[in-house]
Every structure is written in structure tokens, then in C-alpha cells.
Amino acid sequence: MSLLTFEPTSSRPNLAESMPETLYLIDAPSLIYQVFHALPPMSASDGTPTSAVFGFTRDLLYLREEKKPDYLICAFDPSGPTFRDEMYSEYKATRSAMPDDLRLQWRAIDEVLEALGVLRAEVPGFEADDVIATIARRAAERGIRTFIGSGDKDCRQLLTPGIAIYNIRKDEVFDEAALQRDWGIRPDQVVDLLAMVGDSIDNIPGMAGVGPKTAAALLAEHGTLEGVLANVDRISGTKRQENVRRGAAVARRGQTLVALRSDVPIEIDWEAARVRPPDAPRLAALFRRFGFRRLEAQFAAAPEPAARSDATYHLVNDPEQFGSLCRQLAAEPAFALHVERATGRPAAQEIVGVAVAWKPGEAWYVPMRGPAGERHVEASEVLEGLRPLLESPTPRKLAHDLKRQALVLRRSGVRLAGLAVDTMIADYLMEAGERSHSLDQLAQRYLGHTLTDRAALVGKGSNEVPADQVPIAAVAAHAGERADVSLRLSAELEHKLREICLWSLYETLERPLVSVLIEMEHHGIALDVPLLDRLAREFAAKLAEIEERIYASAGRPFNIASPIQLRQVLFDELRLPVLKRTKTGPSTDQEVLEGLAAQHSLPALLIEHRQIAKLKGTYVDALPKLVHPHTGRLHASFNQVVAATGRLSSSDPNLQNIPIRTEQGRQIRQAFIPRSGQRTTEERARAGAAGTAGTSQAWEWRLLTADYSQVELRILAHFSQDEALCRAFAGDEDIHSVVAAQIFRVDAAAVSPAMRRTAKTVNFGVIYGLSPFGLATRLGIPQEAAAAFIRAYFEKYCGVEAFIQQVLGEACRQGWVGTILGRRRRISGVRPAAKFPLNQPEREAVNTVVQGSAADLIKKAMIDLDARLRAGRLETRMLLQIHDELVLEGPAHEMDRVAPLVVAAMTGALELRVPLKVDVAVGANWLDVEPLAG
């Protein structure tokens, strides 16, 4: 074996000063594993996981653009065994197999490398580190300064004045001086130190009782491992002498495993390794496929200057012209609408102008505000002139994001009616997994047209100026173009929806839901801000208390937010078992902490600290700042085009993630309250029509919550037609207790709370492809027991397993899955004979069918409930939709009348093979609600 050697430092010049060229030599497996575990799960529109692809690509682009190397090479491990496996059969034997979700991304990473023109180095029988050692030596021979991108400590043996290690996460260079500061040794002593200490990640044993500090001290005194072994009698301490004697053979074997080979048989094409312009069109296409929108935009061909020869955008800036426009609009069957706001912020209410279009290539813009001295039509005149048209079912209204257009108008007192085609939702129905359904994206995708950038008109961020301070002619061109493009897209997308049989889903579900969401967002919900202020103080005190308990449990203070210090405390000092590893060491993620919580008090304290800190920052501190200054209420946005399954999501703030199982999460719910005070004129009129204008109860308002009971499991029973599941739901039995009795093989009366908890986790876990490891971690049981529970479940509920296989088979054959109302999602990456544990695309396929059908159900219920409330001329209204729960507010005297309407709408929304159940409760806030009597 040939080890990497160079001339002594003193006999040659400093290469850092003399080398004109640089090479960044990347340990690709190390970096890929690192980003895979560091980033949250990501997926392309077809469900293929992409988090590692994104992280690795981002890092390579950073290196190219910021470090500007002359050469860039990525070294990879071979697919088969290496010479070390032949030397030592236990080498890396404790490492877990590559996760399926990472394996699915390997080909995509290769495609990115090819498009970037990055040389890929891989040699059968040799690890990436050996390839790196060889290339680094050859680079040095050519006078090229090398930076090794690797987290492996093995690479420290390669350090020379011309070779350094680069940490891309910290943007730090680790050189010989850094090695001396960290370990107190020279690069030529690294192999001996690692051989003495061992490497748990690679399963290389070391000398018992000899850690890095001891090994470094011995090498500092005796120079080499052989020097240490030759002077055992001079080592202080009888126990340490014995450890070194007994570990001699182990350490010598470790030398051969740790030492990197610099004689790997590889031919390096240095010209191919030279950094050159990438294949931008290919990269843009890849990034579009992966859903990396910003990266796609970075490499997309620069748009041609926007040609306006085929479009005419008229400025209507006097009352006579405006009157003529209104008469023309009234004669049209449909028109596209774009409402220009003063700023792009979600809460912005002021309308700057309105653009309309009814034939392609032409639009009209009516300015309502503008810079001083520029002509415009008075805002009140525009709104009153358009009101009869906008509030009438005809003409039909087309737009991109109809809800946003309607909300701005609603805040100005205009109720938009006659909603027709929403191009944003239409595109979402066709490509549910896409991350963006913006007008810019759609114009480029369907029309080959590049929209003018709004930021070019008004700026962005802190530099944004209100649109009414921009010349009106410029705003007219911008708004007119959006109305024109929306019109053209609406015809294209309606045709496509009809072609693939999705128009009915749009027309009967998604479009009617827009009107419901408009009212929910417009009304918002009241907050008890003083309560939140008190909670902020209490949470801060609680965090400080937990920190002291954490330090006491650990035996010393440490940086709770530092993964490195946390690993040291958990695994080195407390000797807790390593449940999961990343490429950089033991994992300390939430799942691991949950698995360790039963063995020591510290992990449970860390979990509690993380939960409270997140709640405080995300909700307790943030919610009061989101209260609208004019309405005094919180106006969250409910998004129809974000979740690929079809579920609604919420933003500004995200209300879906407020936990209900923790005491702190419940306290936050207590801050959501019904309205109080006098009625508006509109409410008084409605109350008078309903005959309740004079009741004293009109002053007392309540929140009503309605929550589907185990809706996803009921949908699973519906689809699977599993006899046991269907029978349990038909008999209104506790499904978790029923399943517990089955998998534990005991009578129902003998089911303990722990058994029921296990069954509940299994019940929901099977929908999402929960692995034995995942179940074991959540329940704190051995993996073998978890696997046995999963096997027992499928033995007793064979219809569920058959359903899952049916879904996966359909996904594999047709490339998509569908929900109960026909919603579709493209899926790729499903194995022809998939088995548990499922990979990410397989989990997403099953989840889409079940959770997507639950989304169909509650959307239909919301539409039906809204109609019932309107028909009853009730003041009660929907405010929030959170997962499977609806939150309404209304006068206390209406609650007895409203509750049956809610139950009827929710249980009757869809006909399933099993009954639907809804729990209804009423109270003075979102937490303190109690079941309504009767």
C-alpha cells in the first residue's frame, strides 16, 4: 500500500502563495448524506424525493459561484465491496443501509453533475476517500492547490501546505495549523491517532480506554504508534499501560483500515475537470422537473424583451370613457379581472386601479389613484360604476387567484359574484405536486410569454413603493397585461380540465369553495391579546426553568442549540445508545430524542424545550403582530393550491400546526375568541330579517367547533372494504380499542391504555407507511416488537393491505392516483412489487388517496354548510378550517339551531360505506368548548 507523502514543509515554498490554480475535491457521499439528513423532506411534483438533490446542487453552485475554482471533481464510493471489506469483514458492518428515499435521488444527482459539467470520479474496489487522496496527490504534482470538501476526519491525514479541508457549512478552511489546535498533532500522525482511538461510524475498534486526548498526548511524546508501543513502560498509569498493550494488534490493524490509498488506478482528464459554463437549458429543465423554481429561473434562458406589438392596453382615465367601458362590459358574456393593489402585502386593502379584458391581446385599465397631477377616476365612482357588474352572476368573471381579487374588492364593500375560471386553481388541479402556480409560471408554461416583473415596476422588500406613486401609464401596462394573460390562460386551462375529466371537480368543489373562503378570510377571528402577552411571559419563565433542569440532568451547562455539543452530552458523557446515524455522526433529531426519552430524563426535557420555544416564537410572540389594525382581528389566508393532497393550508399565520395534545398548545387555543360588541349595520339588517334583532342574547357570541371523528380511518375502511374495520365503525365502536384487542389477541375488556395507544399509532401509521423503526421509536419498544404489531395488523385487516397494494399497483401502471371525487396527483418512483416499509413516493401515493379524499369531504361539507347557514338567514359564520375541524362563531341563541345544521352538512357531504361522525362543542374560546347538550 502506498501512503500519501510529500516533501518536508521547510524544503519547499508555500503552495498557497505560489499556486495559480485551485481544485475543489468533493467527497460526494459525505455531502449528500449530510444535506439529506439536514433538510426537511422535499419532493418533485410526481412525489419523487428531492431534498438531497436540492442541497447537493445548492452547495455545488455555491462553490462554483463563490469560490470560483479552476477545477471541480466529485468523488463517489463504488457500488460493490472495497479492499477494506476484504481486509476486515466487520468494516462498516454497523452502518444502516442507504434509505430508500435517498437511493431514489442518486440518478437525479448524476443528471445534475452531467448538466453542470462536473467530473465524477469513482473506482471499483476503492472508497471515495482513496480516490480523493490519489487525485489530491496528483494535483499537488501539477502545482494545483486543493481544497477537500469532506466531513470525514480520515481526510485530515492528507493535510499539507497545498492541501486543506473545506467545510462548506461553516465556510471554513481546516489546515495543518487548525489540526494542531484541534488535536495537537501533525498530519502524519493522524492515521496513528485514528487507529488508536478507533472509529465507531466505520466500525473500526480502537484501544480500550484511549480517547483522542490520550492518543494525542502519547503521540506528542513518542511520535508514532510504534513509538508508543515501544515505550509502554514509560506511559503513566498501570491501567493505561495495560490498555495500550492489549490494544496493540487492534491499533495496527486499524492503521491499515484508516490509511488512505494514494495509488488508486484512475486516469484524470484535467480538462474535463476544469470548471466551464454549464448546460443551462438542461439544468433549467431538470430544476423545473424537480420543482426548484429559483434555480430554474437562474438557468432559464434570458427572456426576450417583452413585445407589445400583439397587445394593446388602454388607459381609461376620465368618467366618460369609464361609462363607455361599463356599458361594453355589460354586453360581454365574460371578462378577465385584475385588481391592482397599492402593495403586494397580503393585508393590503387599498385598490390603485382595475384592469379588465374580454378579448385576447387587449385590456383596459381604470386608475383610481396615482401620482399627484396624473388623471384618474375617483375610487368611489369606479366602485359604484362597476358594482352592478361585479356583484351580478353575469358577466362571468375570470382571473388568476379569484379569491385574492375578490377579497380586495370585499374590503372595499364590493361582493364579487359570477366566479368562473380561476387559472391558479385550474393549474393546481392538473399539476397538484407543483410548488408554484403563479401567473408568471403559467404564462411561460402555456403561452410561452414572459410577464413583466412587478418588482421592476414598484421594487421589492424594503424598497417597494406603493403602486399609486408609480406613473399611471406604467401601472396600466402591468395590470392590463395580467388581465390579458389571465383571459388567454382561462380558455386554455378550461379546455385542458375538460379534456382530462377534472372540470366537474373544479366546477362543483373548488370554485364554490372560493366564495366560502373569501368570507372566512374577510371576517377573520378575534384574539385575546392580553392573554397572549401573559403566555409570552409564562413561556419565557418555563423555558428558563427547563434549561436549568437540562443542565442538571446533563451534569453541566452546554449550548442546547448545538448538535455537536448535544451529541457529546447524550452519547459520549451519558452513554445513551445511538439509535440513528447520519454521515457526520449520531442523529439528535426529534425521532431519536423520543426513542431515548424512556431511558433518561434529558431527552424528554430537550423535547419539551424545543416544543415550547417553537410555540412561543411561532404563535405567542407572532400572533399579536398579525392582528389587523383596522378590524382588530386575525385574518389568516386559506390556501387551495399548496398541499398536493388537496388539503387546505393556512398562512399568515399557519394555524394548522398549533398542537392540541400539549398543555402549551391548548393554552394558545384559548386566545382565539368570538367577536364582541355592537353589530355592524349589515348584521343588524340580517338579524332583523331573522326576527332576532331585539333579543338580549344578540350581545353574547360563542365559538362552535365541529370535528370529524377519525375521518381518515373511516375513509380507509370505505376504500379497503375491510370487513372488520367496517363492522367496527358501523357499530360505533372505539376503533383503537378494537384494533388493540385484535393485534394483542385479548378480549376488548382487557385492552389497557398502553395497548390502545399502540393500536392508535399503528392505525394511523399504516396509512403513511410507518416503518418498524418509526413505530418502535414512537412507542419506545424494540423494532422486532414493532414489526410484529404491523404484521399482526395486516393479518387481521387484510383488506387494508390489499387496498394499499391496489393503490400502489395503479400508481405504478398509470403514473397517478385519484381521490374519492376524482382529484389526481402524478406519482413516480413506486416499485413494481412494493413492500413495507414504503419509500417516499409510495407513502405519498397512499396518503394522497386517503388524505386527499378527506380533503374532498371537508371541502364539500364547507360548501354545503355555508349554503345551509345562508338559507337559514343565520348570523353564525365559518371562521377557520383546521385539518378535519371547522370553527364557527355566532350569537349564543343560535347555537342550538346551528349545531344540527353543522352535523347534517358534515355527515351528509359524501356517502361512504361507513357512517361519518362529528363532534360538536361550544364555548367562550377555542379551548374551553363543551359538547352541546342534545
Side-chain angles (χ1 to χ4, degrees):
M1 174 170 36
S2 172
L3 300 181
L4 188 61
T5 58
F6 292 99
E7 300 174 13
T9 303
S10 59
S11 67
R12 53 197 178 85
N14 188 328
L15 295 179
E17 298 176 358
S18 62
M19 285 185 179
E21 293 188 311
T22 58
L23 160 67
Y24 274 74
L25 187 49
I26 308 302
D27 180 351
S30 173
L31 183 55
I32 291 168
Y33 265 90
Q34 190 179 104
V35 296
F36 174 73
H37 289 291
L39 293 175
M42 298 170 58
S43 61
S45 61
D46 62 1
T48 305
T50 58
S51 59
V53 183
F54 176 76
F56 186 65
T57 301
R58 182 187 58 187
D59 286 348
L60 289 183
L61 291 174
Y62 171 80
L63 291 176
R64 286 174 56 99
E65 295 162 10
E66 298 298 324
K67 300 304 174 183
K68 294 181 170 48
D70 298 286
Y71 303 94
L72 181 60
I73 300 175
C74 285
F76 283 81
D77 291 324
S79 57
T82 69
F83 71 91
R84 290 184 181 83
D85 297 299
E86 298 172 2
M87 292 170 55
Y88 179 48
S89 61
E90 296 301 308
Y91 181 66
K92 293 188 177 181
T94 56
R95 280 200 182 182
S96 302
M98 182 186 297
D100 284 340
D101 292 347
L102 177 55
R103 192 184 308 279
L104 287 168
Q105 302 182 59
W106 223 253
R107 175 55 193 152
I109 288 171
D110 284 343
E111 291 181 273
V112 170
L113 290 176
E114 292 168 7
L116 281 172
V118 176
L119 186 64
R120 191 184 195 282
E122 179 181 323
V123 180
F126 296 91
E127 294 181 64
D129 287 349
D130 300 303
V131 175
I132 287 170
T134 301
I135 296 176
R137 175 178 64 80
R138 302 217 192 141
E141 291 169 353
R142 297 175 67 90
I144 300 172
R145 177 156 172 73
T146 298
F147 295 91
I148 298 171
S150 177
D152 282 359
K153 291 181 171 60
D154 295 6
C155 289
R156 294 185 174 191
Q157 65 190 272
L158 306 178
L159 294 172
T160 73
I163 301 175
I165 296 171
Y166 175 67
N167 185 322
I168 194 169
R169 296 276 79 78
K170 298 180 179 179
D171 190 25
E172 290 178 353
V173 173
F174 189 94
D175 56 14
E176 292 173 291
L179 176 64
Q180 183 64 40
R181 290 193 298 270
D182 192 24
W183 282 355
I185 62 174
R186 304 182 307 272
D188 62 284
Q189 296 175 306
V190 168
V191 170
D192 287 351
L193 183 142
L194 293 175
M196 295 169 71
V197 172
D199 186 341
S200 60
I201 295 177
D202 289 344
N203 198 36
I204 299 175
M207 292 176 168
V210 176
K213 290 184 179 179
T214 300
L218 292 174
L219 290 172
E221 183 177 356
H222 303 292
T224 65
L225 172 61
E226 292 304 323
V228 171
L229 297 177
N231 292 278
V232 174
D233 293 340
R234 298 175 58 186
I235 297 174
S236 62
T238 304
K239 179 65 173 177
R240 184 173 296 174
Q241 289 181 9
E242 184 62 23
N243 286 338
V244 172
R245 286 193 184 94
R246 289 183 176 179
V250 170
R252 287 188 173 113
R253 181 180 61 193
Q255 279 183 311
T256 64
L257 294 171
V258 170
L260 300 181
R261 295 276 295 269
S262 64
D263 60 346
V264 173
I266 182 174
E267 293 296 326
I268 305 167
D269 185 341
W270 289 101
E271 281 308 305
R274 189 176 291 278
V275 174
R276 57 189 186 277
D279 186 340
R282 186 177 178 188
L283 278 177
L286 285 174
F287 295 153
R288 181 178 187 323
R289 196 178 93 207
F290 302 150
F292 304 160
R293 294 300 176 210
R294 291 185 180 178
L295 294 182
E296 178 194 357
Q298 182 178 337
F299 288 92
E304 296 292 328
R308 297 287 173 252
S309 59
D310 62 339
T312 304
Y313 302 140
H314 306 278
L315 179 59
V316 181
N317 59 0
D318 69 55
E320 186 177 341
Q321 290 176 326
F322 175 62
S324 176
L325 175 64
C326 289
R327 289 189 292 274
Q328 179 65 52
L329 281 175
E332 297 297 330
F335 63 84
L337 174 72
H338 175 80
V339 180
E340 189 65 36
R341 295 177 295 169
T343 70
R345 292 189 293 274
Q349 298 185 69
E350 289 196 350
I351 301 176
V352 172
V354 176
V356 293
W358 60 85
K359 55 184 177 180
E362 200 166 6
W364 286 258
Y365 175 71
V366 184
M368 297 161 58
R369 291 181 177 84
E374 293 202 36
R375 292 178 61 190
H376 61 270
V377 185
E378 288 300 319
S380 58
E381 186 175 344
V382 173
L383 292 174
E384 289 309 310
L386 290 176
R387 184 187 301 276
L389 295 166
L390 296 177
E391 294 190 340
S392 170
T394 57
R396 296 180 302 117
K397 318 308 184 298
L398 321 166
H400 186 83
D401 194 352
L402 272 167
K403 176 163 67 73
R404 186 179 66 174
Q405 315 295 333
L407 268 173
V408 180
L409 291 168
R410 182 78 171 82
R411 288 164 184 158
S412 296
V414 176
R415 293 173 176 268
L416 189 64
L419 308 185
V421 179
D422 185 326
T423 56
M424 182 179 73
I425 297 175
D427 183 66
Y428 166 76
L429 290 180
M430 292 187 294
E431 298 291 347
E434 290 283 352
R435 286 191 176 85
S436 173
H437 304 277
S438 68
L439 187 62
D440 305 66
Q441 291 284 339
L442 271 58
Q444 190 67 54
R445 191 186 313 163
Y446 295 109
L447 304 178
H449 176 82
T450 301
L451 285 173
T452 53
D453 187 3
R454 190 177 195 274
L457 183 74
V458 297
K460 60 181 178 180
S462 59
N463 296 320
E464 182 179 0
V465 298
D468 57 6
Q469 296 179 19
V470 176
I472 286 177
V475 179
H478 165 82
E481 181 186 32
R482 274 154 176 72
D484 175 28
V485 168
S486 298
L487 176 71
R488 289 191 262 178
L489 282 169
S490 64
E492 173 84 6
L493 295 177
E494 180 176 344
H495 172 74
K496 289 182 178 293
L497 285 178
R498 292 183 183 278
E499 195 173 49
I500 58 175
C501 302
L502 286 174
W503 178 254
S504 176
L505 178 66
Y506 172 77
E507 193 173 34
T508 62
L509 190 74
E510 296 294 349
R511 187 175 67 192
L513 184 65
V514 172
S515 299
V516 178
L517 297 180
I518 289 168
E519 293 303 306
M520 287 170 56
E521 293 187 24
H522 174 71
H523 289 299
I525 189 169
L527 281 181
D528 186 342
V529 175
L531 171 63
L532 289 171
D533 291 341
R534 175 172 62 80
L535 288 180
R537 296 190 295 272
E538 291 178 0
F539 281 25
K542 183 67 173 178
L543 287 172
E545 175 204 333
I546 295 172
E547 286 174 12
E548 291 303 317
R549 292 165 61 195
I550 286 173
Y551 301 149
S553 181
R556 66 175 179 86
F558 67 98
N559 184 352
I560 298 172
S562 168
I564 295 175
Q565 293 189 32
L566 184 54
R567 285 178 195 150
Q568 185 177 358
V569 170
L570 290 174
F571 307 116
D572 296 341
E573 298 174 16
L574 299 180
R575 301 292 181 182
L576 293 175
V578 175
L579 301 182
K580 187 167 65 174
R581 290 186 179 276
T582 68
K583 186 68 174 179
T584 57
S587 171
T588 58
D589 65 14
Q590 179 78 6
E591 193 174 45
V592 167
L593 293 180
E594 289 173 355
L596 295 174
Q599 303 182 44
H600 197 277
S601 61
L602 181 57
L605 289 170
L606 290 167
I607 291 172
E608 186 179 6
H609 188 277
R610 288 180 182 181
Q611 290 173 340
I612 296 176
K614 183 176 181 180
L615 288 175
K616 184 177 186 297
T618 305
Y619 297 107
V620 177
D621 295 338
L623 287 178
K625 300 173 185 176
L626 294 174
V627 172
H628 197 284
H630 299 308
T631 67
R633 290 165 74 92
L634 183 73
H635 298 269
S637 296
F638 293 92
N639 311 307
Q640 285 174 269
V641 300
V642 173
T645 59
R647 274 197 164 190
L648 291 173
S649 67
S650 67
S651 57
D652 304 313
N654 179 359
L655 300 175
Q656 311 281 357
N657 291 338
I658 300 177
I660 190 60
R661 296 174 185 170
T662 66
E663 176 58 29
Q664 291 77 20
R666 288 191 290 272
Q667 286 180 299
I668 292 172
R669 286 194 167 209
Q670 197 171 24
F672 290 78
I673 57 178
R675 60 152 297 171
S676 60
Q678 292 184 340
R679 291 167 165 167
T680 65
T681 303
E682 176 186 346
E683 289 165 343
R684 284 198 298 270
R686 291 177 63 193
T692 62
T695 62
S696 61
Q697 289 176 310
W699 292 91
E700 300 177 9
W701 283 57
R702 294 288 183 268
L703 291 185
L704 181 148
T705 64
D707 195 1
Y708 277 117
S709 172
Q710 301 167 343
V711 66
E712 290 182 11
L713 293 178
R714 292 173 191 267
I715 285 173
L716 178 65
H718 168 79
F719 277 121
S720 68
Q721 302 181 54
D722 184 90
E723 184 178 344
L725 275 184
C726 291
R727 184 169 57 249
F729 281 123
D732 196 23
E733 299 178 68
D734 176 8
I735 191 65
H736 302 313
S737 294
V738 170
V739 171
Q742 292 278 354
I743 62 178
F744 283 101
R745 296 180 171 84
V746 298
D747 292 335
V751 172
S752 68
M755 291 177 179
R756 185 183 184 278
R757 183 170 68 92
T758 298
K760 182 176 181 179
T761 305
V762 174
N763 271 333
F764 289 109
V766 294
I767 303 175
Y768 307 111
L770 190 67
S771 66
F773 172 78
L775 181 61
T777 302
R778 294 187 189 187
L779 297 177
I781 59 177
Q783 283 197 52
E784 296 76 13
F789 284 141
I790 293 175
R791 284 196 303 272
Y793 180 92
F794 285 126
E795 286 173 4
K796 297 297 182 181
Y797 301 95
C798 52
V800 174
E801 184 172 22
F803 159 69
I804 291 174
Q805 292 302 325
Q806 176 189 340
V807 170
L808 297 180
E810 290 174 354
C812 193
R813 287 193 305 274
Q814 63 194 19
W816 57 270
V817 293
T819 68
I820 195 168
L821 291 184
R823 186 185 308 277
R824 293 183 182 183
R825 183 183 180 188
R826 288 193 297 113
I827 296 286
S828 69
V830 174
R831 296 166 294 180
K835 295 182 179 179
F836 274 77
L838 305 181
N839 64 30
Q840 182 173 330
E842 291 159 357
R843 294 194 300 271
E844 292 189 355
V846 177
N847 184 33
T848 295
V849 175
V850 177
Q851 195 177 93
S853 295
D856 291 349
L857 171 66
I858 199 164
K859 285 179 175 180
K860 182 68 164 53
M862 292 170 72
I863 296 166
D864 292 351
L865 177 57
D866 180 71
R868 291 170 188 256
L869 293 174
R870 290 178 183 275
R873 303 183 69 83
L874 294 161
E875 292 183 80
T876 300
R877 58 206 177 197
M878 275 182 282
L879 301 184
L880 305 177
Q881 188 273 332
I882 310 296
H883 299 307
D884 305 319
E885 179 182 11
L886 297 179
V887 179
L888 298 83
E889 74 172 358
H893 71 273
E894 287 189 355
M895 294 296 101
D896 287 337
R897 184 179 171 193
V898 167
L901 294 181
V902 173
V903 172
M906 294 180 71
T907 57
L910 293 176
E911 187 175 344
L912 302 183
R913 291 186 174 90
V914 297
L916 287 165
K917 184 178 179 180
V918 177
D919 299 318
V920 177
V922 174
N925 59 64
W926 194 7
L927 173 66
D928 299 321
V929 291
E930 296 184 358
L932 202 60

